[in-house]
Amino acid sequence: MSPAPAAAPTPAPAPAPGAARAGPRTGPVPVVDIRGVTVRFGDTLALHDISATVEDNLDAGEFVTIIGPSGCGKSTLLNLIAGLLEPTSGQVLVQGRPVDGPGRDRGMIFQQYSSFPNLTVLGNVLFGLRINAGEMQLDRGARRERAMTLIREVGLTGHEAKYPSMLSGGQQQRVAIARSLALEPRILLMDEPFSALDEPTRLEMQELIVSLWSRIKPTIFCVTHSVSEAVYLGDRVWIMTQGPGQIAYEIRDCIPPSPGIPPLVAQERSDFKAAVRVVTEAFRRVAGGDPGPPSRSGSRL
């Protein structure tokens, strides 16, 4: 729907408590199904009773961006989906199966550069392919071909023999993206992947990841602190409350598509500016401690 410049639209009514856990689901199995999840670290309540669903669109995975105040549990939510953390209560399912640890179907890109320092660019991209060669049924030639294709797609042709210490920050994140996509994950999790980059490089990486997403079509969850980045990257934006975190708003109807449009061009469009206003207004409500109607799965805008 078209957002009003002055304020965000009125949120839809929140679902009744317990609705997310009420009986078996009908229709396609969601790619991610978060059911009443709470996370505690000792006496600290990090996430409280979160429920959310992302449908399994095989022909085009969704791009979900997540923003919220510092310490609200954004990274914790990613770690739950990745299988790096278990919920205190509730359940996280990926394609209908409970998450019980990391898996090849989920790739993760961190804020910190995570390439193996003793491996070249090519060696880093090949690493996961070697480990999973039997499961993926790839011989040595096929693994190398896939790695070289991804290196070309992320713009690192000519850097195959270089080590991470010889690369810029943006180039190291390109290596991380290629390494993650090499295993053909159904889900890609990104935890503030561009926050340490200078602005021109950050814009280049935004355009790159949108281009790769539109071609390869995984479901992506990306944590960011930037409203404009959330609107450019995502086709759905989750806004989380201050800790203990909950999803206060889910904004999707006003988010314009970005594939094929450079970030600086997109930012000048009226529909992009309108979407930024909607997200910013909702974020201000959350930051001010007034996220609107209480909701375990978010109010739809």
Side-chain angles (χ1 to χ4, degrees):
M1 67 183 177
S2 299
T10 303
R21 292 185 293 243
R25 295 185 181 276
T26 59
V29 176
V31 64
V32 172
D33 192 1
I34 303 167
R35 301 185 177 185
V37 165
T38 292
V39 174
R40 288 183 177 274
F41 298 111
D43 294 332
T44 301
L45 185 59
L47 297 177
H48 178 59
D49 205 17
I50 288 182
S51 291
T53 301
V54 176
E55 301 302 330
D56 192 359
N57 302 319
L58 294 177
D59 57 336
E62 289 193 60
F63 202 133
V64 181
T65 50
I66 307 170
I67 62 175
S70 296
C72 69
K74 301 182 293 294
S75 296
T76 299
L77 185 57
L78 286 193
N79 288 335
L80 288 167
I81 300 171
L84 301 174
L85 179 69
E86 293 184 3
T88 305
S89 61
Q91 195 173 39
V92 178
L93 296 92
V94 168
Q95 294 182 295
R97 298 185 298 273
V99 172
D100 57 6
R104 183 170 68 82
D105 58 339
R106 284 152 287 144
M108 191 153 188
I109 299 172
F110 300 93
Q111 178 180 357
Q112 299 81 9
Y113 307 136
S114 56
S115 297
F116 297 108
N118 61 320
L119 297 179
T120 63
V121 169
L122 179 57
N124 267 280
V125 180
L126 281 171
F127 183 82
L129 291 173
R130 289 195 185 105
I131 292 176
N132 294 279
E135 181 183 352
M136 299 180 72
Q137 298 183 339
L138 294 173
D139 61 22
R140 184 174 182 177
R143 296 196 301 269
R144 183 179 178 86
E145 181 180 359
R146 175 172 295 184
M148 293 298 289
T149 297
L150 283 164
I151 287 171
R152 182 180 69 252
E153 288 187 339
V154 300
L156 288 177
T157 299
H159 299 280
E160 296 89 349
K162 292 183 178 179
Y163 290 88
S165 61
M166 304 165 68
L167 303 175
S168 69
Q171 288 172 328
Q172 290 191 51
Q173 287 299 65
R174 290 171 188 262
V175 174
I177 292 169
R179 189 181 65 219
S180 295
L181 292 178
L183 299 181
E184 298 183 336
R186 184 66 187 83
I187 298 168
L188 186 61
L189 304 161
M190 308 177 72
D191 194 356
E192 298 186 58
F194 311 139
S195 61
L197 304 178
D198 59 75
E199 188 65 14
T201 304
R202 182 173 184 148
L203 294 173
E204 288 178 8
M205 296 300 293
Q206 289 174 4
E207 188 172 5
L208 171 66
I209 201 66
V210 167
S211 174
L212 291 171
W213 166 62
S214 65
R215 293 206 308 272
I216 301 174
K217 307 185 187 306
T219 296
I220 299 181
F221 294 84
C222 180
V223 167
T224 177
H225 280 287
S226 167
V227 170
S228 61
E229 183 170 84
V231 171
Y232 178 77
L233 294 179
D235 54 7
R236 182 196 305 211
V237 180
W238 287 349
I239 303 179
M240 295 184 64
T241 66
Q242 300 185 58
Q246 293 182 300
I247 300 172
Y249 291 101
E250 177 182 273
I251 303 174
R252 66 164 89 175
D253 293 343
C254 66
I255 305 297
S258 296
I261 306 172
L264 290 179
V265 174
Q267 290 173 19
E268 294 302 314
R269 293 171 50 145
S270 59
D271 54 356
F272 186 94
K273 292 179 180 179
V276 168
R277 285 195 295 269
V278 170
V279 176
T280 299
E281 177 61 27
F283 186 89
R284 285 174 175 166
R285 294 182 192 176
V286 169
D290 181 22
S295 170
R296 293 167 54 235
S297 60
S299 295
R300 172 84 175 271
L301 296 180

